[in-house]
Amino acid sequence: MTMENGEIPENANEHCPGTQSESAGKSDACEGCPNQEACATAPKGPDPDLVVIAERMATVKHKILVLSGKGGVGKSTFSAQLSFALAAMDFQVGLLDVDICGPSIPKMLGLEGQEIHQSNLGWSPVYVDSNLGVMSIGFMLPDPDEAVIWRGPRKNGLIKNFLKEVYWNELDFLVVDSPPGTSDEHISIVQCLGATGIDGAIIVTTPQQVSLIDVRKEINFCKKVGVKVLGVVENMSGLSQPVMDFKFMRTTETGEHIDVSEWVREYFREKAPELQDLIACSEVFDSSSGGAEKMCREMGVPFLGKVPLDPQLCKAAEEGRSCFIDQKCGVSAPALKIIIEKLIENNGFARMLLNSA
Amino acid sequence: MTMENGEIPENANEHCPGTQSESAGKSDACEGCPNQEACATAPKGPDPDLVVIAERMATVKHKILVLSGKGGVGKSTFSAQLSFALAAMDFQVGLLDVDICGPSIPKMLGLEGQEIHQSNLGWSPVYVDSNLGVMSIGFMLPDPDEAVIWRGPRKNGLIKNFLKEVYWNELDFLVVDSPPGTSDEHISIVQCLGATGIDGAIIVTTPQQVSLIDVRKEINFCKKVGVKVLGVVENMSGLSQPVMDFKFMRTTETGEHIDVSEWVREYFREKAPELQDLIACSEVFDSSSGGAEKMCREMGVPFLGKVPLDPQLCKAAEEGRSCFIDQKCGVSAPALKIIIEKLIENNGFARMLLNSA
């Protein structure tokens, strides 16, 4: 199971060398394949699109991929908050969403319902601020509920178009938010951006074993395709919330649950005031195996830190806000801040800021 | 953006009619396309594989797809627990994992490290119990950490092989756990199983808007491809946990968090015993928009129920156990049980059991 050499058509013979391979249409395995002639005669060699992409990327200093093995680990939330944070540091930031079938980025940046405009320079990103531009298929769907029922080649075509057509102008960072897995979108983005230099990938996970299994695959994907792992972020690392923000239920003798929150809060205020300022934490996902930190040590990649499952951060994501602006995300924002600072320091991005200032 | 008519090669001309279309290689758009001749001469018409699949499926009474728009909503956990529950009701159950790049099913069924065996009848599933067989790419990887870096066509090929080669024997239910989205895996499974009759799809989501956006897409996918929506399950619908199971932290004046769990638990026991049996609940994900229940009403599909985020259920999934066996998953197991009973009742599956008894 290795990286494929270009496309393999569905009706191809077994052991197809790939349509872009030098032996396409010419290997023993090609005998009798319906694609044999097309493969043997199709132009090979460097993809002319890569030249166009390289020109577009010439004004982009750093390219960071945000990956995850499993879905729903908070990858898009992280990408969004990373972009907000970098923009707040006065970097010029572009955020590209290559999740074609389930784009969450428009909502998470507060840009739902926006559309892409075209100029003679190319497709214009949608701007949150003058230094934070965003591109997503979400801006191209006439109806947000419509399913994008596309197989790989069409998804790859759009990703290529994003890279070829979008006019980002000068960027310090292009953050690429990807869908989970190691398939079409990931292969395409690496193939298209590889030659222009990808700084590396940030891999987001949750603490459970099932997530970590997939993260190991993702790290191995990076190793195989030659993308540096900038670090792993453990998200949803337990729930932390002020005690007074919980609802409290009592189980009756008949097994019903009744809401006694008012009574409990009153009880805290009157009889146990020393408890009301506490933060209650739950592990939520079992991390008894040592979580992402241990895995990072084993696999020799940097661990960037843990972000707790914070209902306020979830709310910020739902509302398309930065979690850094007000004091509401009191549990998760400091954790995210430390992670982003570490990322910048580890990779010398701060020096870049000083140099360019 | 419509369902594709077979494959569209990456190097195809614009407006490619699809390699399986009647006009493949013959439409105006095909002029000069490198695939033109292959497309024009390739055999069209019914896929012979579909005949083989129909034979395999002749011994399978009901086929249920488990889908989600977004990843990480607990789709595999639900598929696993649904399969455990159906098997516990003495149904013959098969669980097919078509998540090629991130298979979680082997771990969630407690089958890590198992391998597939081949007999003259075909590929044998791995059995949890005599009436619960499982098939996943996870059983075929020599190294569980290895990334499966496959584009769509190769994933489709394996899915087809699962359907063609696996010898399930007599099944009451084949549960198909899919990756998130509406792309290759989903199109393939619907195209391959469509003619054999798919009972319908269960869609798993979480309460947030970002999830619900993707679920709407998934429901529209089902409508477009003609798969009935059996119902929507809202997972991670708030965290519910006994108060005494939490950790408690106090924030010091310097902003540090110190663990005061022991002291708090002692306090509860000594001074506030009426609080120690309470269940504390947090919404975790913002559901102020009305969650999945409201969306189901709007879209005219059945709502099956909510399952709270239960650390004990997460643990059961990690350990590959049924959550129904012991009393540990006291918060989530009753909720899952009601959902599965509703699913069975709504669709007349219970009658089937009586009939076949």
Side-chain angles (χ1 to χ4, degrees), chain A residues 68-71 73 181-182 203-221 232 234 286 289-296 298-299, chain B residues 76 97 99-113 136-139 141-148 317-320:
Chain A
S68 76
K70 223 172 111 30
V73 298
T182 53
I203 301 179
V204 183
T205 183
T206 54
Q208 321 96 287
Q209 278 287 335
V210 276
S211 281
L212 296 179
I213 294 173
D214 291 350
V215 168
R216 287 172 198 272
K217 287 186 201 294
E218 208 69 30
I219 293 173
N220 281 327
F221 167 80
V232 174
E234 184 177 287
D286 181 32
S289 60
E293 193 164 6
K294 180 160 164 261
M295 184 213 60
C296 284
E298 286 164 9
M299 296 199 69
Chain B
S76 297
D97 182 6
D99 191 340
I100 309 299
C101 296
S104 330
I105 288 297
K107 174 146 194 81
M108 288 188 176
L109 277 286
L111 300 173
E112 273 189 301
S136 168
I137 194 180
F139 300 133
L141 302 174
D143 171 3
D145 292 353
E146 192 175 8
V148 179
E318 290 278 286
E319 294 171 0

Side-chain angles (χ1 to χ4, degrees), chain B residues 331-352:
Chain B
V331 190
S332 57
L336 272 167
K337 195 160 164 278
I338 291 169
I339 288 170
I340 293 168
E341 281 167 359
K342 201 187 248 184
L343 176 76
I344 287 179
E345 205 186 296
N346 283 358
N347 296 285
F349 295 145
R351 263 179 292 131
M352 181 196 75

Side-chain angles (χ1 to χ4, degrees), chain B residues 151-202:
Chain B
R151 288 191 183 271
R154 202 181 273 198
K155 294 192 288 188
N156 302 333
L158 180 61
I159 291 172
K160 234 183 196 178
N161 276 338
F162 279 150
L163 297 174
K164 277 166 61 185
E165 307 294 345
V166 177
Y167 176 68
W168 293 105
N169 205 346
E170 300 278 331
L171 284 187
D172 293 306
F173 290 98
L174 177 65
V175 177
V176 182
D177 184 41
S178 62
T182 52
S183 191
D184 282 290
E185 297 86 341
H186 314 84
I187 302 173
S188 290
I189 201 88
V190 169
Q191 284 180 346
C192 289
L193 285 186
T196 73
I198 298 171
D199 288 73
I202 299 170

Side-chain angles (χ1 to χ4, degrees), chain A residues 67-99:
Chain A
L67 304 174
S68 76
K70 223 172 111 30
V73 298
K75 186 173 24 57
S76 296
T77 301
F78 180 81
S79 299
Q81 297 300 331
L82 172 66
S83 301
F84 277 130
L86 292 172
M89 293 162 139
D90 278 338
F91 288 115
Q92 288 287 336
V93 183
L95 173 55
L96 172 62
D97 181 7
V98 300
D99 190 341

Side-chain angles (χ1 to χ4, degrees), chain A residues 16 158 172 185 228 240 250 257 259 282-283:
Chain A
C16 165
L158 180 61
D172 293 305
E185 296 86 341
K228 182 180 167 189
S240 291
R250 183 188 294 291
H257 294 303
D259 189 336
S282 166
E283 242 199 359

Side-chain angles (χ1 to χ4, degrees), chain A residues 141-209:
Chain A
L141 301 174
D143 171 3
D145 291 352
E146 193 174 5
V148 179
I149 311 175
W150 287 7
R151 287 191 184 271
R154 203 181 272 198
K155 295 192 287 189
N156 302 334
L158 180 61
I159 291 171
K160 233 181 195 178
N161 276 337
F162 278 148
L163 297 173
K164 277 165 63 184
E165 306 294 345
V166 177
Y167 176 68
W168 293 105
N169 206 347
E170 300 278 331
L171 286 187
D172 293 305
F173 291 98
L174 178 64
V175 177
V176 181
D177 184 41
S178 64
T182 53
S183 189
D184 282 291
E185 296 86 341
H186 315 84
I187 302 173
S188 290
I189 202 86
V190 170
Q191 284 181 347
C192 289
L193 286 185
T196 73
I198 298 171
D199 289 73
I202 299 170
I203 301 179
V204 183
T205 183
T206 54
Q208 321 96 287
Q209 278 287 335

